């Protein structure tokens, strides 16, 4: 409500005039002008109050979305960039790559990865080749039928046409060779197509649930005859087979995904939880499976400074290297895949994998407990 006390004061003052000559058009006009000015100010104050309330409401809202555009992308992920404006200050902001679009899998919707597009294109190419091979095989079969009919007619004639029969037999043999070649090519194309389809139809991801590693539907893959295998992203050196003198030479070191022990290193229960086997020599639990990530690190060594006799390092071994984790968070990369055994012996082949490699990390750290050289090891799953 507007304040009219000033207007009331002016009217009271005007009414108090008793002299007739004091009431003139100029005095009355001045009074009316003052009243108009006061009314204008009162209206302005009322509008400002409404504007202040509106501004408070906008400030409570905060930001509004002004734009949504595709941000950066790579072979696996797609991101969206948001544009927003502050309703209180009017400042525009751009949040680059703030929305992540998850990948599509056999169990959920999402964006298609670049590898899936490549697989689809390869599937189209292989399918076209397969169709062409079938067409050639059909053509060879037609030729074979024609040659057979011709041979039957010639055999039914007199013996004077033996030479012609021999020629027909040669044509038939040639057609049979062509048919065998086309059938072999067709079989190869079908095998490629089947292998490609089987290898790309399953996508897995690692999930951390209550400090435990889980892969959805992992137990179902095992029931389908697949075998889990774990890898480390590390430096590894393999050895050749023994030569005639019983000597095994070391091959050059290589860095990348290397198989970690064998199939017995990893296990999956019917709840899709992943556990790992303890392989440390002398441990009473050796051969048992645990869900803790520390099982993946069997060797840790404390280093005492000879000058101060104090704990200077705690080194953990990973592949052919060791890393100091005393007071330092170290990230070690692992991955899990499922493969179909083609034979019961021989080295593992990456071509036998029927899933992608589901990657996860383990954070390793050592901290001193007190003034002595005792320390505590901590291993945590991370993505």
């Amino acid at each position: 409500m507007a304040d009219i006390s000033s207007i009331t004061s002016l009217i009271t003052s005007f009414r108090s005039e008793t002299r007739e000559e004091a009431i003139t058009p100029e005095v009355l006009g001045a009074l009316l002008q003052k009243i108009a000015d006061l009314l204008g100010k009162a209206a302005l104050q009322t509008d400002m109050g409404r504007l202040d309330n509106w501004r408070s409401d906008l400030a409570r809202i905060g930001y509004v979305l002004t734009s949504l555009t595709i941000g950066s992308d790579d072979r696996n992920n797609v991101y969206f960039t948001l544009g927003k404006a502050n309703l209180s200050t009017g400042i525009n902001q751009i949040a680059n790559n703030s929305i992540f679009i998850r990948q599509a899998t056999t169990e959920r919707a999402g964006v298609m990865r670049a590898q899936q597009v490549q697989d689809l294109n390869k599937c189209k190419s292989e399918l076209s080749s397969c169709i062409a091979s079938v067409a050639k095989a059909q053509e060879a079969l037609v030729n074979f039928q024609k040659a057979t009919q011709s041979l039957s007619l010639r055999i039914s004639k007199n013996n004077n046409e033996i030479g012609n029969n021999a020629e027909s037999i040669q044509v038939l043999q040639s057609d049979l060779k062509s048919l065998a070649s086309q059938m072999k090519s067709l079989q190869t194309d079908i095998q490629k197509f089947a292998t490609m389809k089987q290898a790309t139809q399953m996508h897995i991801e690692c999930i951390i649930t209550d400090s435990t590693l889980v892969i959805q539907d992992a137990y179902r893959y095992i029931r389908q005859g697949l075998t889990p295998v774990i890898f480390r992203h590390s430096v590894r050196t393999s050895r050749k087979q023994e030569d005639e003198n019983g000597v095994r030479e070391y091959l050059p070191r290589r860095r990348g995904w290397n198989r970690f022990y064998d199939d017995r290193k990893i296990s999956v229960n019917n709840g899709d939880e992943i556990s790992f086997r303890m392989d440390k020599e002398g441990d009473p639990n050796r051969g048992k499976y645990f869900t803790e990530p520390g099982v993946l690190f069997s060797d840790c060594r404390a280093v005492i400074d000879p000058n101060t006799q104090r704990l200077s390092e705690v080194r953990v071994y990973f592949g052919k290297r060791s890393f100091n984790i005393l007071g330092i968070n170290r990230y070690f990369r692992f991955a899990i895949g499922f493969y179909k055994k083609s034979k019961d012996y021989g080295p593992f082949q990456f071509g036998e994998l029927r899933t992608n490699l589901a990657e996860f990390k383990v954070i390793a750290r050592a901290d001193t407990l007190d003034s002595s050289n005792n320390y505590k090891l901590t291993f945590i799953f991370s993505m």
Side-chain angles (χ1 to χ4, degrees):
M1 183 176 181
D3 185 9
I4 61 172
S5 59
S6 298
I7 298 176
T8 303
S9 176
L10 288 173
I11 294 174
T12 301
S13 176
F14 179 75
R15 295 176 63 182
S16 65
E17 293 289 344
T18 58
R19 293 179 298 112
E20 182 178 352
E21 62 274 11
I23 304 175
T24 63
E26 289 79 11
V27 174
L28 182 59
L31 174 62
L32 293 175
Q33 184 63 50
K34 289 181 180 180
I35 293 174
D37 293 341
L38 289 174
L39 290 174
K41 291 181 179 179
L44 183 61
Q45 290 175 355
T46 302
D47 293 340
M48 287 301 298
R50 293 176 179 174
L51 291 175
D52 287 339
N53 293 334
W54 186 28
R55 187 174 183 276
S56 298
D57 293 338
L58 293 179
R60 284 194 294 270
I61 296 175
Y63 290 91
V64 294
L65 182 66
T66 59
S67 64
L68 179 63
T69 57
I70 294 180
S72 62
D73 53 75
D74 51 39
R75 292 181 61 86
N76 296 322
N77 303 315
V78 176
Y79 299 88
F80 277 107
T81 293
L82 293 180
K84 58 182 180 179
N86 190 315
L87 293 177
S88 178
T89 63
I91 298 176
N92 292 318
Q93 297 181 0
I94 299 295
N96 293 314
N97 304 327
S98 57
I99 297 180
F100 166 70
I101 308 300
R102 66 186 184 184
Q103 303 174 12
T105 68
T106 56
E107 302 295 334
R108 71 183 189 199
V111 297
M112 183 178 293
R113 293 177 288 119
Q115 184 62 46
Q116 291 173 325
V117 177
Q118 294 177 3
D119 292 338
L120 286 176
N121 291 334
K122 184 179 178 182
C123 176
K124 291 169 60 179
S125 176
E126 296 290 346
L127 189 58
S128 299
S129 177
C130 179
I131 293 174
S133 298
V134 170
K136 291 180 180 179
Q138 289 176 343
E139 182 181 356
L141 284 174
V142 171
N143 293 333
F144 171 69
Q145 290 174 351
K146 291 180 179 179
T148 303
Q149 293 174 357
S150 176
L151 180 61
S152 299
L153 291 174
R154 292 180 183 274
I155 291 176
S156 65
K157 295 182 179 180
N158 56 42
N159 295 331
N160 293 329
E161 298 182 354
I162 293 177
N164 293 332
N165 289 336
E167 182 180 353
S168 297
I169 291 174
Q170 290 179 354
V171 173
L172 176 61
Q173 290 176 344
S174 176
D175 289 338
L176 286 175
K177 290 181 180 179
S178 176
L179 176 61
S181 176
Q182 295 299 327
M183 294 298 289
K184 184 177 181 181
S185 176
L186 174 61
Q187 184 181 14
T188 302
D189 291 337
I190 292 175
Q191 287 177 348
K192 287 182 179 179
F193 178 71
T195 302
M196 179 187 62
K197 180 181 179 182
Q198 188 178 17
T200 58
Q201 65 182 355
M202 289 179 289
H203 178 84
I204 60 174
E205 292 182 0
C206 291
I207 304 171
I208 301 174
T209 304
D210 297 331
S211 302
T212 302
L213 199 65
V214 176
I215 296 180
Q216 187 176 4
D217 294 331
Y219 195 69
R220 178 168 63 87
Y221 297 149
I222 292 179
R223 293 199 304 268
Q224 293 176 357
L226 300 182
T227 302
V229 59
I230 185 170
F231 301 87
R232 294 186 300 184
H233 197 274
S234 60
V235 177
R236 181 177 178 179
T237 303
S238 299
R239 290 186 293 179
K240 294 182 179 178
Q241 296 293 332
E242 294 182 359
D243 58 15
E244 57 184 6
N245 298 322
V247 179
R248 298 180 66 184
E249 298 179 355
Y250 280 96
L251 296 172
R253 290 189 174 187
R254 65 179 186 273
R255 180 174 183 84
W257 289 116
N258 298 295
R259 189 182 184 189
F260 190 21
Y261 286 100
D262 51 26
D263 299 343
R264 296 172 298 174
K265 184 64 180 177
I266 181 174
S267 178
V268 180
N269 62 20
N270 55 9
D272 295 334
E273 292 181 342
I274 309 298
S275 57
F276 309 99
R277 177 173 170 165
M278 174 70 73
D279 290 293
K280 187 175 181 180
E281 293 289 346
D283 194 295
N285 293 319
R286 186 169 182 259
K288 296 182 180 180
Y289 288 89
F290 302 89
T291 58
E292 292 79 10
V295 182
L296 297 172
F297 301 87
S298 58
D299 296 321
C300 292
R301 180 171 61 91
V303 179
I304 305 298
D305 190 329
N307 296 323
T308 62
Q309 295 300 312
R310 302 291 299 170
L311 182 66
S312 61
E313 291 182 348
V314 176
R315 305 197 70 85
V316 61
Y317 289 87
F318 192 73
K320 288 294 181 180
R321 299 177 59 187
S322 65
F323 300 86
N324 178 31
I325 59 173
L326 183 60
I328 303 172
N329 287 339
R330 295 281 189 185
Y331 291 78
F332 298 95
R333 296 173 59 188
F334 296 87
I336 296 174
F338 289 81
Y339 75 103
K340 182 70 173 180
K341 285 186 177 181
S342 59
K343 51 188 177 181
D344 295 332
Y345 60 91
F348 169 81
Q349 301 293 332
F350 274 88
E352 298 174 339
L353 283 173
R354 293 296 177 262
T355 68
N356 62 300
L357 291 184
E359 185 176 348
F360 66 95
K361 299 181 181 69
V362 175
I363 305 174
R365 181 185 176 92
D367 294 287
T368 56
L369 293 176
D370 45 38
S371 58
S372 64
N373 290 331
N374 297 325
Y375 61 89
K376 177 183 178 181
L377 294 173
T378 304
F379 299 97
I380 304 174
F381 285 121
S382 175
M383 301 306 298

